[in-house]
Amino acid sequence: MSLLTIENLRIAFPARGGSTEVVRGVNLEVQQGETVGLVGESGSGKSLSCRSIIRLMPSHAQMTANVQFDGRDVMAMSRKALRDHRAHSVGMIFQDPFSCFNPTKRIGEQVAETLRVNAGMDKSDAHVRAIELLASVEIDRPEQRYRAFPHELSGGMRQRVMIAIAISAGPRLLIADEPTTALDVTTQAQILKLIEQRRRDLNMAVLLVSHDFGVIAQACQRVAVMYGGYVVEAGPVAEICARPQHPYTRALLESIPSLESAGHHIRRAGIPGQPPSAGEMGAGCPFAGRCAFARPECAGVDMSLEVVGDAHATACPFVRNVSATSEAGGA
Amino acid sequence: MSETLLSVQDLTKRFRLRRSLGEFVTRQPGDSALAVDHVSFDLAKGEILGLAGGSGSGKTTLARMLIRLVEPDEGVITVDGRSVRDARGHELREIRRRMQMVFQDPYASLNPRMTVGTAILEAGRVHHQPGSEDGDAFVSKFLDLVRLPASMAVRHPSELSGGQRQRVAVARALAIGPEVLIADEAVSALDVSIQTQLLNLFLDLRDELGLAILFVAHQLSVIAEVADRVAIMHLGVIVEIGTTAEVFHNPQDEYTKSLLASHPQPVPLDASREIRIVE
């Protein structure tokens, strides 16, 4: 049984004359211990989708879904059960580790506070355990760092502390929402490595949300590509990178700047136009307006995923991307 | 290489750190941090030079010193042989006209109360640009240059997307008639698909107007897409400078190597793939 199943997730916000749906029927599954990526541009609904797992929504958002976590129905949880779910089963880290901390409290105390509240430890136990946790996220001289204030730490260091807090209860799932976007490439690589190590040691699953396909390709086994509130393609990362099926995924992959371009001045085609804003999305495929393969029927596409390969599915019924070599091999 | 437009020699900036109480009482000078340490480079007309480095490497301080938003402590900056550091009054204004900066966050650099057209026109008029007497024609000329429809002129920044806003910021910079554009993380906050459009715009502007561009970015792959040459900064020093092909395919410096190694690997694409349309 999978650790997490999200079925038909819909999130809408009230708007003039009705409501605007920003997540429009997302299905997602995460197995025990695996790393799943959620990739998409701003406004695609990826952050809201991952927040649904702990029902962390703006108060005016209208969310309907069937969310099963470890056999329990998240949508049916009482306040107390939800609090317990957030405290023990799921850990979450965010893009900006600075705004997550209290700037007037020492970071060690903030780690210890989590342990006292969530795990019911007494003061001295929490202190000892907090130092262990800081050491486990590779913060050197954890005893001294315990007494540091958030502003005294670098961005990478703050993200490490954030991870320490998120994994303090030994969660089954870690949600990492753009955890490295604000960091340098060198620090980014270290943080991704740290998340991977912690994942293996604690046997937890990771849901990694990012706009950067490079990060996803490095860290995940499976990925779901989001656009305009839909998952447009899902499958194994290697498979999707090699044979993207949905025209959006393909165009996105081709837009990614690459070090290989150094010295060649070939311009990338990019994707014309801009992503639709929440208010202007109609029926059918939200990518049709920018798609090189668009046709009149695109307005009637229901955006359900169609299986095209081994655990690989696409929402586009019209375009198939086939490798010439594999086609020849199969024939 | 063609004629040098901008030349920088031994440019240095120290930031004084706050003195401790002891130092204050005993009137000692206190520590300082060397943000930019004897940096030298040239930028030719029509050339795009990438400036890369981690956060805190001094790349933004360096970019700001070029138009004296930050005053250098030592060193020489010349544009067309004229010293930037000695310029005063009218001369400094002229130098700032010739070098314009585009920032990462166009939200912060555009006046939210001003329409796009007014912002572009005002920039042109302040610097007495030819054509700025005829407002509409002037505005649509520069909107066209950044591939925006003339109808954008009546919009306010809040009505635009991130990519459009950044185009407006570029149009406003161009309205002043610069020869050097300093783009400080100008595409870093944009989505990949929009980023590509902006990178192509910078390449077009270089081709059409012969602009020289100093392209500051922390993402090496973005620099690989646009720059002719690249300078890698680390702890205030340019550790390596050369053509992008040389530096990225055959790095000599250890820091450059580590930076390239930790860059997220470009996604492996299957070269033989084809598109089939399902009928």
Side-chain angles (χ1 to χ4, degrees), chain A residues 41-42 184 186 188 241-242 250 255 257-258 261 267-268 271 273-274 290 295 318 320-322 324, chain B residues 55 161 164 191 193 196-197 200 204 207 225 249 262 264 267 269-270 272-274 276-278:
Chain A
E41 296 182 285
S42 32
D184 271 352
T186 23
Q188 166 169 287
C241 288
R250 182 186 156 93
S255 302
S258 153
S261 305
R267 290 180 198 199
R268 288 177 190 275
I271 309 177
Q274 51 191 351
R290 306 172 77 189
R295 49 171 76 193
F318 305 123
R320 288 292 169 271
N321 186 352
V322 288
Chain B
S55 41
S161 69
Q164 289 171 333
D191 277 323
S193 68
T196 315
Q197 297 173 2
N200 286 339
D204 289 346
D207 294 348
E225 295 287 334
H249 297 317
S262 44
V267 176
L269 281 176
D270 183 346
S272 61
R273 69 215 157 85
E274 276 171 15
R276 187 179 75 210
I277 307 293
V278 180

mmCIF file of all heavy atoms in Angstrom, chain A residues 41-42 184 186 188 241-242 250 255 257-258 261 267-268 271 273-274 290 295 318 320-322 324, chain B residues 55 161 164 191 193 196-197 200 204 207 225 249 262 264 267 269-270 272-274 276-278:
data_model
loop_
_atom_site.group_PDB
_atom_site.id
_atom_site.type_symbol
_atom_site.label_atom_id
_atom_site.label_comp_id
_atom_site.label_asym_id
_atom_site.label_seq_id
_atom_site.Cartn_x
_atom_site.Cartn_y
_atom_site.Cartn_z
ATOM 1 N N GLU A 41 6.016 25.562 -13.104
ATOM 2 C CA GLU A 41 6.366 26.967 -13.010
ATOM 3 C C GLU A 41 5.511 27.639 -11.947
ATOM 4 O O GLU A 41 4.587 27.034 -11.411
ATOM 5 C CB GLU A 41 6.179 27.624 -14.377
ATOM 6 C CG GLU A 41 7.121 27.031 -15.400
ATOM 7 C CD GLU A 41 6.998 27.683 -16.759
ATOM 8 O OE1 GLU A 41 6.027 27.412 -17.459
ATOM 9 O OE2 GLU A 41 7.880 28.477 -17.107
ATOM 10 N N SER A 42 5.797 28.923 -11.669
ATOM 11 C CA SER A 42 5.010 29.588 -10.635
ATOM 12 C C SER A 42 3.551 29.643 -11.060
ATOM 13 O O SER A 42 3.237 29.856 -12.222
ATOM 14 C CB SER A 42 5.541 30.992 -10.347
ATOM 15 O OG SER A 42 6.080 31.580 -11.477
ATOM 16 N N ASP A 184 23.043 29.004 -3.060
ATOM 17 C CA ASP A 184 24.092 28.818 -4.063
ATOM 18 C C ASP A 184 24.126 27.410 -4.620
ATOM 19 O O ASP A 184 23.713 26.496 -3.920
ATOM 20 C CB ASP A 184 25.449 28.916 -3.357
ATOM 21 C CG ASP A 184 25.920 30.313 -3.313
ATOM 22 O OD1 ASP A 184 25.283 31.143 -3.935
ATOM 23 O OD2 ASP A 184 26.937 30.538 -2.655
ATOM 24 N N THR A 186 26.651 25.382 -4.857
ATOM 25 C CA THR A 186 27.442 24.478 -4.011
ATOM 26 C C THR A 186 26.651 24.085 -2.764
ATOM 27 O O THR A 186 26.610 22.920 -2.388
ATOM 28 C CB THR A 186 28.777 25.133 -3.590
ATOM 29 O OG1 THR A 186 28.650 26.536 -3.673
ATOM 30 C CG2 THR A 186 29.897 24.675 -4.458
ATOM 31 N N GLN A 188 23.438 24.200 -2.513
ATOM 32 C CA GLN A 188 22.300 23.425 -2.995
ATOM 33 C C GLN A 188 22.650 21.941 -3.072
ATOM 34 O O GLN A 188 21.891 21.091 -2.610
ATOM 35 C CB GLN A 188 21.901 23.935 -4.373
ATOM 36 C CG GLN A 188 20.958 23.028 -5.134
ATOM 37 C CD GLN A 188 20.404 23.720 -6.370
ATOM 38 O OE1 GLN A 188 19.568 24.601 -6.273
ATOM 39 N NE2 GLN A 188 20.879 23.336 -7.523
ATOM 40 N N CYS A 241 12.734 12.478 -18.832
ATOM 41 C CA CYS A 241 13.794 13.314 -19.403
ATOM 42 C C CYS A 241 14.176 12.828 -20.795
ATOM 43 O O CYS A 241 14.461 13.620 -21.690
ATOM 44 C CB CYS A 241 15.029 13.301 -18.516
ATOM 45 S SG CYS A 241 14.774 14.211 -17.006
ATOM 46 N N ALA A 242 14.205 11.524 -20.966
ATOM 47 C CA ALA A 242 14.621 10.977 -22.248
ATOM 48 C C ALA A 242 13.497 11.034 -23.275
ATOM 49 O O ALA A 242 13.729 11.342 -24.439
ATOM 50 C CB ALA A 242 15.091 9.538 -22.066
ATOM 51 N N ARG A 250 8.089 18.598 -22.823
ATOM 52 C CA ARG A 250 9.115 18.634 -23.856
ATOM 53 C C ARG A 250 9.649 20.053 -24.022
ATOM 54 O O ARG A 250 10.867 20.283 -24.022
ATOM 55 C CB ARG A 250 8.496 18.137 -25.162
ATOM 56 C CG ARG A 250 9.450 18.062 -26.318
ATOM 57 C CD ARG A 250 8.660 17.705 -27.575
ATOM 58 N NE ARG A 250 9.356 18.149 -28.760
ATOM 59 C CZ ARG A 250 10.181 17.389 -29.448
ATOM 60 N NH1 ARG A 250 10.395 16.155 -29.071
ATOM 61 N NH2 ARG A 250 10.797 17.861 -30.497
ATOM 62 N N SER A 255 13.812 24.222 -22.807
ATOM 63 C CA SER A 255 14.099 25.605 -22.412
ATOM 64 C C SER A 255 15.209 25.703 -21.375
ATOM 65 O O SER A 255 15.718 26.780 -21.122
ATOM 66 C CB SER A 255 12.854 26.253 -21.795
ATOM 67 O OG SER A 255 11.789 26.224 -22.688
ATOM 68 N N PRO A 257 18.408 26.120 -19.532
ATOM 69 C CA PRO A 257 19.757 26.493 -19.932
ATOM 70 C C PRO A 257 20.749 25.413 -19.540
ATOM 71 O O PRO A 257 20.564 24.731 -18.524
ATOM 72 C CB PRO A 257 20.023 27.788 -19.166
ATOM 73 C CG PRO A 257 19.019 27.857 -18.094
ATOM 74 C CD PRO A 257 17.859 27.022 -18.508
ATOM 75 N N SER A 258 21.766 25.229 -20.363
ATOM 76 C CA SER A 258 22.700 24.146 -20.102
ATOM 77 C C SER A 258 24.134 24.628 -20.251
ATOM 78 O O SER A 258 24.442 25.476 -21.080
ATOM 79 C CB SER A 258 22.427 23.010 -21.090
ATOM 80 O OG SER A 258 23.594 22.263 -21.298
ATOM 81 N N SER A 261 25.914 24.668 -23.604
ATOM 82 C CA SER A 261 25.737 25.724 -24.601
ATOM 83 C C SER A 261 26.935 26.655 -24.700
ATOM 84 O O SER A 261 27.014 27.464 -25.614
ATOM 85 C CB SER A 261 24.514 26.572 -24.249
ATOM 86 O OG SER A 261 23.382 25.783 -24.117
ATOM 87 N N ARG A 267 20.253 29.791 -30.336
ATOM 88 C CA ARG A 267 19.212 30.246 -29.415
ATOM 89 C C ARG A 267 18.185 29.170 -29.197
ATOM 90 O O ARG A 267 17.802 28.458 -30.117
ATOM 91 C CB ARG A 267 18.541 31.484 -29.997
ATOM 92 C CG ARG A 267 19.496 32.634 -29.950
ATOM 93 C CD ARG A 267 18.906 33.866 -30.509
ATOM 94 N NE ARG A 267 20.023 34.742 -30.815
ATOM 95 C CZ ARG A 267 19.930 36.032 -30.994
ATOM 96 N NH1 ARG A 267 18.739 36.592 -30.949
ATOM 97 N NH2 ARG A 267 20.995 36.739 -31.253
ATOM 98 N N ARG A 268 17.741 29.056 -27.963
ATOM 99 C CA ARG A 268 16.671 28.112 -27.658
ATOM 100 C C ARG A 268 15.347 28.687 -28.113
ATOM 101 O O ARG A 268 15.125 29.880 -28.031
ATOM 102 C CB ARG A 268 16.622 27.852 -26.159
ATOM 103 C CG ARG A 268 17.778 27.019 -25.719
ATOM 104 C CD ARG A 268 17.806 26.809 -24.246
ATOM 105 N NE ARG A 268 19.084 26.206 -23.935
ATOM 106 C CZ ARG A 268 19.320 24.898 -24.010
ATOM 107 N NH1 ARG A 268 18.348 24.084 -24.341
ATOM 108 N NH2 ARG A 268 20.512 24.413 -23.742
ATOM 109 N N ILE A 271 9.365 28.833 -24.900
ATOM 110 C CA ILE A 271 7.924 28.653 -25.033
ATOM 111 C C ILE A 271 7.327 30.035 -25.236
ATOM 112 O O ILE A 271 7.546 30.907 -24.408
ATOM 113 C CB ILE A 271 7.315 27.991 -23.776
ATOM 114 C CG1 ILE A 271 8.089 26.721 -23.415
ATOM 115 C CG2 ILE A 271 5.843 27.681 -24.004
ATOM 116 C CD1 ILE A 271 7.597 26.042 -22.161
ATOM 117 N N GLY A 273 4.652 33.146 -25.333
ATOM 118 C CA GLY A 273 3.566 33.522 -24.435
ATOM 119 C C GLY A 273 3.924 33.328 -22.982
ATOM 120 O O GLY A 273 5.088 33.177 -22.636
ATOM 121 N N GLN A 274 2.911 33.308 -22.133
ATOM 122 C CA GLN A 274 3.151 33.141 -20.708
ATOM 123 C C GLN A 274 2.082 32.236 -20.107
ATOM 124 O O GLN A 274 1.015 32.060 -20.694
ATOM 125 C CB GLN A 274 3.153 34.496 -20.026
ATOM 126 C CG GLN A 274 1.937 35.301 -20.368
ATOM 127 C CD GLN A 274 2.078 36.741 -19.915
ATOM 128 O OE1 GLN A 274 2.999 37.080 -19.211
ATOM 129 N NE2 GLN A 274 1.154 37.560 -20.287
ATOM 130 N N ARG A 290 -0.100 27.923 -25.944
ATOM 131 C CA ARG A 290 1.341 28.095 -26.178
ATOM 132 C C ARG A 290 1.925 26.883 -26.901
ATOM 133 O O ARG A 290 3.124 26.816 -27.144
ATOM 134 C CB ARG A 290 2.064 28.242 -24.837
ATOM 135 C CG ARG A 290 1.502 29.329 -23.953
ATOM 136 C CD ARG A 290 2.142 29.280 -22.570
ATOM 137 N NE ARG A 290 3.486 29.852 -22.560
ATOM 138 C CZ ARG A 290 4.318 29.769 -21.528
ATOM 139 N NH1 ARG A 290 3.957 29.119 -20.445
ATOM 140 N NH2 ARG A 290 5.516 30.324 -21.575
ATOM 141 N N ARG A 295 -4.422 21.999 -31.554
ATOM 142 C CA ARG A 295 -5.459 21.756 -32.548
ATOM 143 C C ARG A 295 -6.808 22.092 -31.906
ATOM 144 O O ARG A 295 -6.881 22.229 -30.689
ATOM 145 C CB ARG A 295 -5.420 20.304 -32.999
ATOM 146 C CG ARG A 295 -5.390 19.360 -31.795
ATOM 147 C CD ARG A 295 -5.574 17.931 -32.181
ATOM 148 N NE ARG A 295 -4.397 17.349 -32.771
ATOM 149 C CZ ARG A 295 -4.409 16.178 -33.405
ATOM 150 N NH1 ARG A 295 -5.547 15.493 -33.513
ATOM 151 N NH2 ARG A 295 -3.317 15.679 -33.918
ATOM 152 N N PHE A 318 -3.060 13.570 -27.952
ATOM 153 C CA PHE A 318 -2.750 13.733 -29.377
ATOM 154 C C PHE A 318 -1.296 13.487 -29.751
ATOM 155 O O PHE A 318 -0.994 12.976 -30.810
ATOM 156 C CB PHE A 318 -3.135 15.140 -29.832
ATOM 157 C CG PHE A 318 -4.563 15.470 -29.531
ATOM 158 C CD1 PHE A 318 -4.892 16.571 -28.765
ATOM 159 C CD2 PHE A 318 -5.590 14.653 -29.996
ATOM 160 C CE1 PHE A 318 -6.206 16.865 -28.477
ATOM 161 C CE2 PHE A 318 -6.905 14.949 -29.719
ATOM 162 C CZ PHE A 318 -7.221 16.057 -28.958
ATOM 163 N N ARG A 320 2.467 11.918 -29.261
ATOM 164 C CA ARG A 320 3.278 10.859 -28.674
ATOM 165 C C ARG A 320 4.711 11.073 -29.109
ATOM 166 O O ARG A 320 5.000 11.341 -30.265
ATOM 167 C CB ARG A 320 2.819 9.468 -29.132
ATOM 168 C CG ARG A 320 1.505 9.045 -28.527
ATOM 169 C CD ARG A 320 1.620 8.793 -27.031
ATOM 170 N NE ARG A 320 0.308 8.636 -26.431
ATOM 171 C CZ ARG A 320 -0.424 9.638 -25.953
ATOM 172 N NH1 ARG A 320 0.038 10.874 -26.008
ATOM 173 N NH2 ARG A 320 -1.604 9.438 -25.425
ATOM 174 N N ASN A 321 5.579 10.934 -28.131
ATOM 175 C CA ASN A 321 6.983 11.169 -28.384
ATOM 176 C C ASN A 321 7.667 9.809 -28.372
ATOM 177 O O ASN A 321 7.724 9.144 -27.355
ATOM 178 C CB ASN A 321 7.504 12.038 -27.245
ATOM 179 C CG ASN A 321 8.914 12.469 -27.466
ATOM 180 O OD1 ASN A 321 9.577 12.019 -28.386
ATOM 181 N ND2 ASN A 321 9.370 13.345 -26.608
ATOM 182 N N VAL A 322 8.134 9.379 -29.517
ATOM 183 C CA VAL A 322 8.744 8.053 -29.545
ATOM 184 C C VAL A 322 10.203 8.149 -29.934
ATOM 185 O O VAL A 322 10.587 8.954 -30.778
ATOM 186 C CB VAL A 322 8.015 7.122 -30.537
ATOM 187 C CG1 VAL A 322 6.664 6.715 -29.987
ATOM 188 C CG2 VAL A 322 7.867 7.783 -31.887
ATOM 189 N N ALA A 324 13.271 7.042 -31.858
ATOM 190 C CA ALA A 324 13.457 6.332 -33.115
ATOM 191 C C ALA A 324 14.165 5.008 -32.885
ATOM 192 O O ALA A 324 13.833 3.994 -33.486
ATOM 193 C CB ALA A 324 14.256 7.199 -34.073
ATOM 194 N N SER B 55 26.981 33.442 -3.587
ATOM 195 C CA SER B 55 26.547 34.642 -2.875
ATOM 196 C C SER B 55 27.684 35.104 -1.971
ATOM 197 O O SER B 55 28.409 34.305 -1.397
ATOM 198 C CB SER B 55 25.270 34.379 -2.085
ATOM 199 O OG SER B 55 25.317 33.137 -1.461
ATOM 200 N N SER B 161 2.942 40.534 -15.893
ATOM 201 C CA SER B 161 3.591 39.350 -15.336
ATOM 202 C C SER B 161 5.065 39.682 -15.076
ATOM 203 O O SER B 161 5.570 40.707 -15.525
ATOM 204 C CB SER B 161 3.475 38.198 -16.314
ATOM 205 O OG SER B 161 4.283 38.460 -17.441
ATOM 206 N N GLN B 164 7.058 40.262 -18.305
ATOM 207 C CA GLN B 164 6.716 41.532 -18.961
ATOM 208 C C GLN B 164 7.319 42.703 -18.194
ATOM 209 O O GLN B 164 7.824 43.651 -18.786
ATOM 210 C CB GLN B 164 5.191 41.691 -19.014
ATOM 211 C CG GLN B 164 4.531 40.741 -20.003
ATOM 212 C CD GLN B 164 3.021 40.772 -19.868
ATOM 213 O OE1 GLN B 164 2.475 41.074 -18.811
ATOM 214 N NE2 GLN B 164 2.334 40.460 -20.960
ATOM 215 N N ASP B 191 10.592 32.232 -14.361
ATOM 216 C CA ASP B 191 10.408 30.826 -14.705
ATOM 217 C C ASP B 191 11.217 30.476 -15.949
ATOM 218 O O ASP B 191 11.484 31.333 -16.780
ATOM 219 C CB ASP B 191 8.937 30.558 -14.988
ATOM 220 C CG ASP B 191 8.170 30.317 -13.715
ATOM 221 O OD1 ASP B 191 8.733 29.684 -12.818
ATOM 222 O OD2 ASP B 191 7.025 30.768 -13.624
ATOM 223 N N SER B 193 10.667 29.036 -18.788
ATOM 224 C CA SER B 193 10.201 29.327 -20.147
ATOM 225 C C SER B 193 10.287 30.828 -20.439
ATOM 226 O O SER B 193 10.556 31.235 -21.564
ATOM 227 C CB SER B 193 8.770 28.825 -20.330
ATOM 228 O OG SER B 193 7.866 29.565 -19.551
ATOM 229 N N THR B 196 14.122 31.943 -20.929
ATOM 230 C CA THR B 196 14.640 31.760 -22.282
ATOM 231 C C THR B 196 14.287 32.950 -23.166
ATOM 232 O O THR B 196 15.123 33.430 -23.931
ATOM 233 C CB THR B 196 14.017 30.484 -22.901
ATOM 234 O OG1 THR B 196 14.070 29.454 -21.942
ATOM 235 C CG2 THR B 196 14.769 30.072 -24.135
ATOM 236 N N GLN B 197 13.045 33.423 -23.053
ATOM 237 C CA GLN B 197 12.618 34.565 -23.858
ATOM 238 C C GLN B 197 13.479 35.796 -23.564
ATOM 239 O O GLN B 197 13.907 36.505 -24.469
ATOM 240 C CB GLN B 197 11.149 34.907 -23.568
ATOM 241 C CG GLN B 197 10.173 33.807 -23.941
ATOM 242 C CD GLN B 197 8.756 34.123 -23.473
ATOM 243 O OE1 GLN B 197 8.510 35.174 -22.905
ATOM 244 N NE2 GLN B 197 7.827 33.218 -23.716
ATOM 245 N N ASN B 200 17.031 35.448 -24.967
ATOM 246 C CA ASN B 200 17.025 35.725 -26.403
ATOM 247 C C ASN B 200 16.913 37.222 -26.663
ATOM 248 O O ASN B 200 17.526 37.741 -27.606
ATOM 249 C CB ASN B 200 15.884 34.976 -27.091
ATOM 250 C CG ASN B 200 16.174 33.490 -27.209
ATOM 251 O OD1 ASN B 200 17.331 33.075 -27.141
ATOM 252 N ND2 ASN B 200 15.140 32.685 -27.350
ATOM 253 N N ASP B 204 19.355 39.539 -28.856
ATOM 254 C CA ASP B 204 18.854 40.393 -29.938
ATOM 255 C C ASP B 204 19.348 41.832 -29.783
ATOM 256 O O ASP B 204 19.768 42.459 -30.740
ATOM 257 C CB ASP B 204 17.315 40.413 -29.945
ATOM 258 C CG ASP B 204 16.726 39.091 -30.405
ATOM 259 O OD1 ASP B 204 17.497 38.278 -30.958
ATOM 260 O OD2 ASP B 204 15.527 38.874 -30.210
ATOM 261 N N ASP B 207 22.804 42.254 -30.829
ATOM 262 C CA ASP B 207 22.948 42.236 -32.286
ATOM 263 C C ASP B 207 22.415 43.505 -32.938
ATOM 264 O O ASP B 207 23.023 44.047 -33.850
ATOM 265 C CB ASP B 207 22.211 41.022 -32.870
ATOM 266 C CG ASP B 207 22.856 39.715 -32.439
ATOM 267 O OD1 ASP B 207 23.980 39.777 -31.896
ATOM 268 O OD2 ASP B 207 22.243 38.646 -32.629
ATOM 269 N N GLU B 225 24.519 30.222 -21.795
ATOM 270 C CA GLU B 225 23.618 30.463 -22.924
ATOM 271 C C GLU B 225 23.911 31.767 -23.646
ATOM 272 O O GLU B 225 23.723 31.874 -24.842
ATOM 273 C CB GLU B 225 22.152 30.491 -22.442
ATOM 274 C CG GLU B 225 21.632 29.177 -21.898
ATOM 275 C CD GLU B 225 21.371 28.146 -22.990
ATOM 276 O OE1 GLU B 225 21.113 28.521 -24.130
ATOM 277 O OE2 GLU B 225 21.448 26.947 -22.663
ATOM 278 N N HIS B 249 34.403 24.312 -20.410
ATOM 279 C CA HIS B 249 34.788 22.974 -20.861
ATOM 280 C C HIS B 249 36.161 22.564 -20.361
ATOM 281 O O HIS B 249 36.485 21.389 -20.308
ATOM 282 C CB HIS B 249 34.727 22.895 -22.394
ATOM 283 C CG HIS B 249 33.334 23.094 -22.926
ATOM 284 N ND1 HIS B 249 32.237 22.501 -22.341
ATOM 285 C CD2 HIS B 249 32.855 23.831 -23.954
ATOM 286 C CE1 HIS B 249 31.136 22.860 -22.993
ATOM 287 N NE2 HIS B 249 31.488 23.680 -23.967
ATOM 288 N N SER B 262 29.148 21.140 -8.904
ATOM 289 C CA SER B 262 27.925 21.089 -8.098
ATOM 290 C C SER B 262 26.714 21.637 -8.838
ATOM 291 O O SER B 262 25.621 21.653 -8.306
ATOM 292 C CB SER B 262 28.126 21.834 -6.780
ATOM 293 O OG SER B 262 28.782 23.033 -6.982
ATOM 294 N N PRO B 264 23.548 21.631 -10.990
ATOM 295 C CA PRO B 264 22.657 20.515 -11.334
ATOM 296 C C PRO B 264 22.892 20.087 -12.787
ATOM 297 O O PRO B 264 22.936 20.936 -13.668
ATOM 298 C CB PRO B 264 21.259 21.102 -11.164
ATOM 299 C CG PRO B 264 21.419 22.326 -10.355
ATOM 300 C CD PRO B 264 22.813 22.810 -10.546
ATOM 301 N N VAL B 267 19.709 18.025 -18.003
ATOM 302 C CA VAL B 267 18.891 16.836 -18.147
ATOM 303 C C VAL B 267 19.289 16.081 -19.417
ATOM 304 O O VAL B 267 19.389 16.670 -20.477
ATOM 305 C CB VAL B 267 17.424 17.258 -18.206
ATOM 306 C CG1 VAL B 267 16.540 16.079 -18.460
ATOM 307 C CG2 VAL B 267 17.044 17.950 -16.925
ATOM 308 N N LEU B 269 18.879 14.415 -22.616
ATOM 309 C CA LEU B 269 17.803 14.276 -23.589
ATOM 310 C C LEU B 269 18.188 13.215 -24.610
ATOM 311 O O LEU B 269 19.340 13.103 -24.998
ATOM 312 C CB LEU B 269 17.569 15.601 -24.310
ATOM 313 C CG LEU B 269 16.766 16.656 -23.551
ATOM 314 C CD1 LEU B 269 16.707 17.937 -24.340
ATOM 315 C CD2 LEU B 269 15.365 16.160 -23.275
ATOM 316 N N ASP B 270 17.216 12.453 -24.977
ATOM 317 C CA ASP B 270 17.439 11.414 -25.979
ATOM 318 C C ASP B 270 17.463 12.066 -27.358
ATOM 319 O O ASP B 270 16.463 12.611 -27.818
ATOM 320 C CB ASP B 270 16.293 10.401 -25.865
ATOM 321 C CG ASP B 270 16.481 9.244 -26.819
ATOM 322 O OD1 ASP B 270 17.336 9.363 -27.726
ATOM 323 O OD2 ASP B 270 15.784 8.246 -26.661
ATOM 324 N N SER B 272 17.602 10.947 -30.239
ATOM 325 C CA SER B 272 16.946 10.303 -31.374
ATOM 326 C C SER B 272 15.428 10.372 -31.326
ATOM 327 O O SER B 272 14.744 9.767 -32.119
ATOM 328 C CB SER B 272 17.364 8.825 -31.418
ATOM 329 O OG SER B 272 16.940 8.213 -30.219
ATOM 330 N N ARG B 273 14.909 11.126 -30.321
ATOM 331 C CA ARG B 273 13.449 11.075 -30.177
ATOM 332 C C ARG B 273 12.733 11.857 -31.281
ATOM 333 O O ARG B 273 13.238 12.802 -31.847
ATOM 334 C CB ARG B 273 13.033 11.548 -28.793
ATOM 335 C CG ARG B 273 13.248 12.980 -28.534
ATOM 336 C CD ARG B 273 13.642 13.169 -27.100
ATOM 337 N NE ARG B 273 14.356 14.414 -26.981
ATOM 338 C CZ ARG B 273 13.739 15.566 -26.834
ATOM 339 N NH1 ARG B 273 12.443 15.619 -26.813
ATOM 340 N NH2 ARG B 273 14.421 16.667 -26.720
ATOM 341 N N GLU B 274 11.550 11.410 -31.532
ATOM 342 C CA GLU B 274 10.727 12.009 -32.570
ATOM 343 C C GLU B 274 9.339 12.256 -32.021
ATOM 344 O O GLU B 274 8.918 11.600 -31.085
ATOM 345 C CB GLU B 274 10.583 11.043 -33.757
ATOM 346 C CG GLU B 274 11.722 11.087 -34.738
ATOM 347 C CD GLU B 274 11.575 9.961 -35.732
ATOM 348 O OE1 GLU B 274 10.477 9.369 -35.802
ATOM 349 O OE2 GLU B 274 12.563 9.677 -36.413
ATOM 350 N N ARG B 276 5.364 11.955 -32.690
ATOM 351 C CA ARG B 276 4.364 11.358 -33.556
ATOM 352 C C ARG B 276 3.004 11.907 -33.141
ATOM 353 O O ARG B 276 2.705 12.001 -31.952
ATOM 354 C CB ARG B 276 4.372 9.840 -33.381
ATOM 355 C CG ARG B 276 3.479 9.113 -34.380
ATOM 356 C CD ARG B 276 3.563 7.620 -34.145
ATOM 357 N NE ARG B 276 2.800 7.253 -32.959
ATOM 358 C CZ ARG B 276 3.105 6.220 -32.175
ATOM 359 N NH1 ARG B 276 4.150 5.477 -32.407
ATOM 360 N NH2 ARG B 276 2.349 5.929 -31.139
ATOM 361 N N ILE B 277 2.222 12.274 -34.083
ATOM 362 C CA ILE B 277 0.897 12.796 -33.765
ATOM 363 C C ILE B 277 -0.103 11.650 -33.870
ATOM 364 O O ILE B 277 -0.145 10.941 -34.872
ATOM 365 C CB ILE B 277 0.495 13.920 -34.759
ATOM 366 C CG1 ILE B 277 1.575 14.998 -34.825
ATOM 367 C CG2 ILE B 277 -0.857 14.504 -34.384
ATOM 368 C CD1 ILE B 277 1.744 15.793 -33.562
ATOM 369 N N VAL B 278 -0.859 11.459 -32.767
ATOM 370 C CA VAL B 278 -1.855 10.392 -32.768
ATOM 371 C C VAL B 278 -3.100 10.859 -33.516
ATOM 372 O O VAL B 278 -3.646 11.914 -33.214
ATOM 373 C CB VAL B 278 -2.232 10.023 -31.320
ATOM 374 C CG1 VAL B 278 -3.268 8.928 -31.304
ATOM 375 C CG2 VAL B 278 -0.998 9.597 -30.558
#
